Amino acid sequence: MLSYTIEGSGPVLLFLHGLGGNAENWVLQRAAFARTHQVVALDLPGHGRSQGRDVPFTRYWESIEGICDHLGVTQLSLCGLSKGARAGLMFAARQPERVERIAVVNAFVHLTPADRQARLALYDVLIGPAGEQAWAKRLLSAMSVSGHPTIVRGFLKSLDSIDPHHIRARFQELIDYDQRPELAGIRCPVLLVRGEKDDFVPPYCVDEMHRLLTNSSIARLPDCGHLPYLEDPAAFNALLRHFLSGERRDTGA
């Protein structure tokens, strides 16, 4: 069973959270965009209230297909963070006729061996003796959001609902899956949002995706880290609204 929220009316806009998150991560965007769109926020398999902790990452795109079929959605726009964005790209590569636009927030589709090892070591902390609190502290620092008390409190509260071994297993799959070959088949406009202070996703990732996609633009947010939609929701919402309107604006080469 998949859990989701649905609000507003108009063109369909689907929000997809990152690893360990849920639909509530997008509450500020849901409120803003429900005035002009039918906003759907999905708990991906094994997250939030959705079942499916045994579902591998490479099948997450099927949950998007399932929710579209369930709601009778023939066309939609997507906005996803990190893992959620990758699931959205996977869906767009397989069902291009359904996807009008995708906003990809701080995602990687491939990492160098050194970066893979460094990030796997971080997720090993999650299942190690130090546990969730030590992992959270290091991850919040890597995402450059430690200076945002509201974000920190929300993240620490979410630790009560995660399964560390599930999260570690899904992250291993994210790291192992080289998604670069899929990007050439995605024809819809893609907005690549890069929080320039994000140390979790290396800077080269957005440039590599930009080269491989046939119709993409980059928006660089110099004062944000990994979670710009929470760090500066007004600026993020304005950027997303502009993108959804169909106007092209590249803020970084």
Side-chain angles (χ1 to χ4, degrees):
M1 181 187 74
L2 291 173
S3 177
Y4 64 94
T5 63
I6 184 166
E7 299 148 294
S9 61
V12 178
L13 173 59
L14 175 63
F15 285 101
L16 300 164
H17 60 80
L19 182 61
N22 57 64
E24 295 305 309
N25 298 158
W26 299 104
V27 65
L28 299 177
Q29 286 65 49
R30 287 161 46 190
F33 286 91
R35 302 167 191 159
T36 54
H37 291 73
Q38 183 176 76
V39 176
V40 181
L42 177 63
D43 283 346
L44 288 162
H47 292 72
R49 295 182 176 87
S50 287
Q51 297 174 350
R53 287 187 176 176
D54 59 335
V55 176
F57 165 69
T58 51
R59 292 185 56 195
Y60 275 17
W61 71 271
E62 295 175 9
S63 66
I64 304 173
E65 178 186 48
I67 206 68
C68 287
D69 290 347
H70 175 68
L71 296 175
V73 173
T74 57
Q75 286 195 314
L76 76 164
S77 296
L78 305 171
C79 177
L81 169 72
S82 195
K83 177 203 69 178
R86 293 188 63 180
L89 290 169
M90 206 177 300
F91 177 72
R94 288 158 177 78
Q95 298 200 4
E97 72 284 353
R98 280 180 133 165
V99 181
E100 295 182 337
R101 294 175 172 270
I102 309 177
V104 172
V105 184
N106 288 326
F108 63 84
V109 293
H110 152 260
L111 293 175
T112 65
D115 284 328
R116 281 167 49 93
Q117 188 58 40
R119 282 147 188 82
L120 283 172
L122 172 57
Y123 274 77
D124 285 341
V125 173
L126 178 59
I127 58 174
E132 293 98 319
Q133 292 291 328
W135 167 76
K137 183 177 180 180
R138 289 179 57 179
L139 182 57
L140 287 164
S141 177
M143 295 191 297
S144 297
V145 296
S146 296
H148 296 265
T150 302
I151 295 176
V152 172
R153 284 195 300 269
F155 193 90
L156 294 178
K157 183 179 179 181
S158 73
L159 297 179
D160 296 335
S161 60
I162 68 167
D163 176 343
H165 290 277
H166 167 248
I167 298 301
R168 173 60 176 78
R170 295 294 84 79
F171 188 73
Q172 180 76 59
E173 293 171 351
L174 284 170
I175 289 284
D176 289 344
Y177 185 56
D178 185 345
Q179 206 168 342
R180 289 178 295 176
E182 290 183 345
L183 299 187
I186 297 173
R187 302 299 178 184
C188 69
V190 181
L191 176 66
L192 302 168
V193 181
R194 163 74 186 167
E196 293 285 71
K197 292 184 176 180
D198 183 13
D199 289 328
F200 184 73
V201 177
Y204 63 81
C205 294
V206 69
D207 298 311
E208 182 176 56
M209 293 175 69
H210 186 42
R211 288 194 303 270
L212 293 170
L213 288 159
T214 61
N215 186 7
S216 67
S217 56
I218 301 175
R220 300 183 189 274
L221 303 178
D223 297 322
C224 290
H226 192 67
L227 307 174
Y229 59 95
L230 294 176
E231 298 167 71
D232 192 347
F236 180 85
N237 291 354
L239 179 66
L240 181 57
R241 195 173 297 281
H242 191 275
F243 174 62
L244 294 173
S245 74
E247 299 177 42
R248 186 182 180 91
R249 177 176 61 184
D250 199 324
T251 64

